[in-house]
């Protein structure tokens, strides 16, 4: 049996001590991934399942070994109205006039399965396959966590940049409102127009608060994946990505799928599932075969009422036995037939499971590729539109400050700029995320 890893235990204990250190710094994407792989509860449970699999393998190997056990039995009997009593101990009969008798026996028994159709050896092979599947399950959970972390990480980056835009628009809305109040006091603007500017200012404040709330919520979700508690301060270190990260070459979907088929644990796990189902069918068919076992025993006994002392009785009553047992299944209430039929159905199910996982993987990669391509094109168009709307809004604001534009024009210009900025940022970070996920599925590390 594999001993439980001391290093793993040390890492788990150390994680408690280093969590505060992590919480005091900004986290890169790789920091988040490394910490989650060591501390996420689901991943740790999967590792425990791996350890239990090793214990089961150790147990299955023990089935090849003989069994040996010692037993002893001691009885006291009392017959108050019997004058003469015969005591049977093994193949010995002893007569005694004592109303109270004492009997003791000792035996050492051994047995071993010589052959049971090779089921024990096949069980060992099956457990080894299951242990490999367990390890792949842990690897899959680690990849799933990494994907979730990347999605939340990018979402925080997106919302942070959106917050910067909202703060800029808030500053502009504040200056417009102040200018409107000033113009109203000078008789150059109606009170209703100032009320519209005030509503714009309130809307800008709401956008800022809403973005801050979204960031806090995304951080909470990311902290949950990292198993960080409520007392842990947390912030990411991701910088605003440049156009080179967004407008780069998008990985080919067919090439990505080919690499994913060769590296993704869910595919390898499904392939091992087919091997395991075939092996279980083989084991089920061996249930029709006979079983041959051997046994041996040595024992002795003693009793009160005999003229011989206990030591002499133990010597004289020493007996040894050995034998072979052959068991041939003739009619077992359809148990073997049922096992074989179920194993065949499970074999078919495992083949469908592999096909299903390949289809799901293909769909996932193709969807990421479509998202990356469509949003990359959208980003280029949205960026040009946002730049145009920003220049237009700056001009509108300048004209408004000089009394050349009314509030309707300014509010319309702000709405157009806000929409353009949102479209650009959405396309930008969606493209970035999907490009990174395509590389991730091809076996590369994600870098943000």
């Amino acid at each position: 049996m594999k001993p439980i890893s001391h290093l793993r235990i040390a890492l788990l204990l150390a994680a408690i001590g280093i969590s505060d250190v992590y919480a005091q710094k900004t986290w890169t994407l790789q920091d988040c991934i490394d910490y989650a792989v060591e501390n996420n509860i689901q991943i740790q449970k999967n590792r425990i399942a791996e350890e239990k699999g090793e214990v089961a393998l150790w147990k299955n190997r023990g089935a090849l070994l003989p069994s040996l056990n010692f037993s002893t039995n001691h009885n006291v009997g009392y017959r108050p109205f019997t004058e003469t009593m015969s005591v049977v101990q093994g193949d010995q009969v002893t007569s005694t006039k004592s109303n109270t008798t004492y009997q003791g026996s000792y035996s050492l028994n051994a047995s071993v399965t010589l052959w049971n159709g090779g089921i024990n050896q096949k069980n060992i092979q099956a457990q080894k396959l299951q242990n490999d599947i367990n390890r792949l399950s842990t690897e899959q959970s680690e990849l799933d966590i990494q994907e979730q972390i990347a999605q939340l990480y990018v979402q925080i980056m997106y919302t942070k940049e959106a917050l910067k835009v909202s703060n800029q628009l808030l500053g502009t809305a504040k200056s417009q409102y102040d200018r409107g109040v000033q113009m109203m006091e000078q008789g150059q603007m109606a009170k209703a127009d100032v009320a519209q500017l005030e509503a714009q200012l309130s809307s800008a404040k709401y956008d800022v608060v809403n973005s801050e709330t979204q960031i806090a919520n995304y951080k909470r979700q990311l902290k949950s994946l990292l198993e960080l508690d409520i007392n842990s301060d947390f912030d990411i270190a991701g910088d605003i990505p440049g156009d080179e990260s967004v407008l780069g070459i998008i990985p080919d979907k067919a090439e990505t799928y080919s690499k994913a088929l060769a590296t993704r644990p869910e595919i390898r796990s499904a392939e091992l599932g087919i091997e395991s189902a075939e092996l279980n069918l083989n084991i089920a068919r061996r249930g029709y075969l006979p079983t041959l076992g051997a046994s041996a025993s040595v024992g002795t006994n003693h009793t009160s009422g005999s003229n011989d002392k206990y030591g002499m009785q133990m010597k004289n009553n020493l007996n040894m036995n050995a034998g072979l047992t052959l068991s041939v299944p003739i009619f077992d209430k359809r148990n073997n037939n049922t096992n074989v039929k179920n194993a065949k159905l499970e074999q078919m199910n495992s083949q469908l499971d592999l096909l299903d996982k390949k289809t799901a993987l293909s769909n996932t990669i193709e969807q990421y590729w479509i998202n990356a391509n469509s949003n990359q094109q959208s980003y280029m168009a949205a960026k040009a539109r946002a730049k145009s709307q920003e220049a237009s809004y700056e001009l509108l604001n300048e004209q408004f400050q000089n009394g050349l534009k009314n509030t309707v024009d300014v509010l319309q210009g702000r709405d157009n700029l806000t929409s353009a900025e949102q479209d650009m940022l959405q396309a930008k970070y969606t493209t970035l995320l999907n490009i990174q996920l395509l590389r991730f599925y091809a076996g590369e590390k994600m870098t943000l």
Side-chain angles (χ1 to χ4, degrees):
M1 179 180 70
K2 255 189 193 177
I4 297 176
S5 170
H6 295 293
L7 177 60
R8 182 174 299 167
I9 295 175
L11 287 173
L12 292 175
L13 295 175
I16 300 174
I18 65 175
S19 60
D20 291 337
V21 176
Y22 268 104
Q24 294 171 6
K25 74 180 189 69
T26 55
W27 295 61
T28 65
L29 176 61
Q30 193 59 48
D31 288 336
C32 294
I33 290 174
D34 292 342
Y35 191 85
V37 166
E38 287 299 327
N39 295 277
N40 182 265
I41 290 177
Q42 185 57 53
I43 294 176
Q44 293 185 58
K45 286 183 176 180
N46 287 346
R47 289 175 182 151
I48 292 175
E50 288 185 47
E51 297 286 352
K52 291 174 69 175
E54 293 297 330
V55 173
L57 177 60
W58 182 67
K59 178 183 177 182
N60 287 346
R61 285 173 172 158
L64 300 176
L65 303 175
S67 65
L68 178 65
N69 64 79
F70 170 78
S71 64
T72 181
N73 185 39
H74 300 267
N75 295 305
V76 175
Y78 176 65
R79 294 187 178 184
F81 304 108
T82 301
E83 295 181 359
T84 302
M85 182 170 55
S86 297
V87 179
V88 180
Q89 182 78 358
D91 55 0
Q92 302 291 323
V93 179
T94 304
S95 296
T96 178
K97 294 182 178 181
S98 175
N99 298 109
T100 302
T101 60
Y102 163 68
Q103 299 175 340
S105 63
Y106 310 86
S107 64
L108 191 64
N109 303 283
S111 64
V112 62
T113 300
L114 299 177
W115 192 72
N116 66 343
I119 290 178
N120 287 339
Q121 289 83 352
K122 293 297 180 181
N123 283 337
I124 292 174
Q125 295 178 30
Q127 188 59 53
K128 286 181 178 179
L129 275 176
Q130 185 58 51
N131 290 353
D132 290 337
I133 292 174
N134 291 343
R135 282 188 283 272
L136 289 168
S137 177
T138 300
E139 185 180 342
Q140 179 63 48
S141 65
E142 291 176 357
L143 293 181
D144 290 343
I145 287 293
Q146 292 181 49
E147 190 169 341
Q148 294 176 57
I149 287 173
Q151 291 171 341
L152 287 170
Y153 201 92
V154 169
Q155 195 66 51
I156 294 172
M157 292 173 65
Y158 158 71
T159 313
K160 277 191 167 186
E161 190 168 352
L163 176 61
K164 290 182 179 180
V165 174
S166 296
N167 277 319
Q168 292 173 356
L169 292 174
L170 174 61
T172 304
K174 180 67 169 60
S175 68
Q176 289 172 352
Y177 172 72
D178 293 342
R179 177 57 178 158
V181 171
Q182 185 182 20
M183 293 174 70
M184 182 183 66
E185 292 173 349
Q186 296 172 355
Q188 299 175 355
M189 180 174 287
K191 187 175 182 180
D193 291 335
V194 175
Q196 287 183 316
L197 293 175
E198 185 177 12
Q200 175 189 241
L201 177 59
S202 298
S203 178
K205 289 180 179 178
Y206 173 81
D207 290 341
V208 170
V209 173
N210 186 52
S211 293
E212 291 174 341
T213 302
Q214 287 180 343
I215 291 173
N217 189 48
Y218 292 135
K219 285 182 179 180
R220 177 194 59 79
Q221 294 178 52
L222 187 50
K223 285 170 62 178
S224 177
L225 292 178
L226 273 63
E227 308 297 346
L228 295 175
D229 61 28
I230 193 172
N231 297 316
S232 301
D233 294 329
F234 180 86
D235 198 8
I236 66 170
D239 297 325
I240 296 177
D243 284 356
E244 66 279 0
S245 300
V246 181
L247 300 178
I249 298 175
I250 298 174
D252 180 73
K253 60 181 178 181
E255 183 180 353
T256 300
Y257 179 60
S258 177
K259 290 181 179 179
L261 285 177
T263 59
R264 292 290 295 187
E266 66 266 35
I267 301 300
R268 180 57 182 152
S269 177
E271 291 172 344
L272 290 182
I274 293 177
E275 293 183 34
S276 178
E278 291 174 348
L279 186 55
N280 287 333
L281 176 58
N282 184 289
I283 292 173
R285 285 171 172 163
R286 291 170 184 262
Y288 295 112
L289 302 177
T291 299
L292 179 63
S295 62
S297 65
V298 57
T300 187
N301 58 76
H302 60 76
T303 183
S304 62
S306 174
N307 293 327
D308 295 331
K309 294 182 178 180
Y310 285 169
M312 183 59 68
Q313 290 184 58
M314 295 278 286
K315 177 181 177 182
N316 293 336
N317 294 338
L318 182 66
N319 63 88
M320 302 177 187
N321 296 283
L324 295 174
T325 301
L326 179 65
S327 176
V328 181
I330 297 175
F331 182 71
D332 63 351
K333 301 179 182 180
R334 300 178 179 173
N335 286 331
N336 282 331
N337 285 337
T338 301
N339 292 337
V340 170
K341 288 180 179 180
N342 283 333
K344 287 180 179 179
L345 292 173
E346 188 59 35
Q347 185 182 39
M348 295 169 59
N349 189 62
S350 65
Q351 293 169 347
L352 292 174
D353 186 54
L354 175 60
L355 181 60
D356 181 57
K357 282 184 167 54
K358 285 183 176 180
T359 302
L361 180 63
S362 175
N363 289 335
T364 298
I365 290 174
E366 186 170 15
Q367 187 61 62
Y368 288 154
W369 184 86
I370 291 173
N371 291 344
N373 274 276
S374 61
N375 282 280
Q376 190 179 71
Q377 298 298 320
S378 298
Y379 172 68
M380 290 187 288
K383 184 179 180 182
R385 175 169 167 257
K387 186 176 181 181
S388 174
Q389 292 295 337
E390 183 178 8
S392 176
Y393 186 63
E394 288 176 356
L395 179 59
L396 281 172
N397 183 52
E398 183 180 349
Q399 291 174 332
F400 173 78
Q401 298 290 343
N402 294 323
L404 301 177
K405 289 291 182 179
N406 58 36
T407 55
V408 175
D409 294 330
V410 171
L411 295 177
Q412 184 63 47
R414 178 186 181 276
D415 290 342
N416 291 339
L417 177 59
T418 301
S419 176
E421 290 282 0
Q422 289 177 345
D423 290 345
M424 181 189 70
L425 292 179
Q426 185 70 37
K428 175 182 180 179
Y429 283 96
T430 302
T431 303
L432 176 67
L433 174 62
N434 284 277
I435 288 177
Q436 291 297 322
L437 289 176
L438 284 171
R439 293 173 179 168
F440 178 64
Y441 272 73
E444 302 177 22
K445 281 189 175 182
M446 291 180 287
T447 56
L448 295 173

